[in-house]
Amino acid sequence: MRNIAKRILKMANFLKEGRTRPYTVIVEGNIGSGKTTFLNYFNRNKDVCVLAEPVEMWRDCDGYNLLGAMYEDPKRWSFTFQSYVQLTMLQQHTKETDLPIKLMERSIYSARYCFVEQLKRDKVLSGPSESVINAWFNWVTSNKNLDVDLVVYLRTTPEVVYERMMKRNRAEEKSVPLEYLKSLHKIHEDWLYYKTLHHCPAPVIILNANLDRSNIANEYEKCESHIFNKEVVTARA
Ligand SMILES: Nc1ncnc2c1ncn2[C@@H]1O[C@H](COP(=O)(O)OP(=O)(O)OP(=O)(O)O)[C@@H](O)[C@H]1O
Ligand SMILES: Nc1nc(=O)c2ncn([C@H]3C[C@H](O)[C@@H](CO)O3)c2[nH]1
């Protein structure tokens, strides 16, 4: 009973504010660009629901490490992996929260516009597989409210993120070549900087994420006022 009352109160709050969903920010960038680090920086704020990328779900889907399988044999497993990424991202986008702001690491959009794009260019995703992924993507984005309000693009150079990725030493990524990061970088640049590739889902704030730890906080603070969108947070109070 308490749960129903809580949901009614939450909906009443959102309706009072005229909002049907939290102010949603997606953090995008190459592998190793510092997205998790960025989320941790804002995680201390009580008004923000922070959703890290569900990597652990991808590493253990009923005991199957789909992330590892995809990197080991992309031709065989990229469709399976992308299907699960798309599902888990849909779950993140539609996850309910009482908080006024939702901060997500990546999105259903970068899964489709960056990674599926990359798999297509690498010719490891067959035409029929790509069409099925697209059919799901087009349906869910047309029939569910997956709108976002802001994109934070952690812009880096491939060489910097390659070094970070190797140092971080995630087992599944040990054979990821610099060339892959260079190609992913170009796709991110075309999508979010030059805006010549696919639809950009919201206004983009670009941060220089090459900066090392001692200087990066100033860069993060540049978007604090955009993320803690005053009218959203105060309306909730
Ligand atoms: N500004 C920085 N300077 C130096 N190292 C950094 C910086 N930001 C993050 N790192 C380090 O780089 C590695 C990757 O950082 P992080 O996990 O935040 O990136 P990510 O974008 O979430 O990666 P992925 O896309 O693989 O999940 C980590 O070892 C982290 O400690
Ligand atoms: N193929 C593929 N499709 C995706 O949608 C996707 N999203 C993230 N990743 C990879 C990047 C990091 O190694 C690791 C953590 O970000 O997972 C993906 N790989």
Side-chain angles (χ1 to χ4, degrees), residues 54-61 63-68 84 170-172:
V55 181
E56 291 319 309
M57 292 178 75
W58 303 342
R59 295 171 115 172
D60 180 5
C61 174
Y64 298 105
N65 182 346
L66 301 183
L67 179 66
Y84 195 52
R170 190 181 270 153
E172 295 86 351

Side-chain angles (χ1 to χ4, degrees), residues 1-16:
M1 197 55 178
R2 202 146 42 103
N3 256 354
I4 296 173
K6 197 175 167 198
R7 283 169 65 88
I8 291 168
L9 182 64
K10 179 194 74 106
M11 195 39 73
N13 269 344
F14 279 139
L15 291 175
K16 182 180 71 177

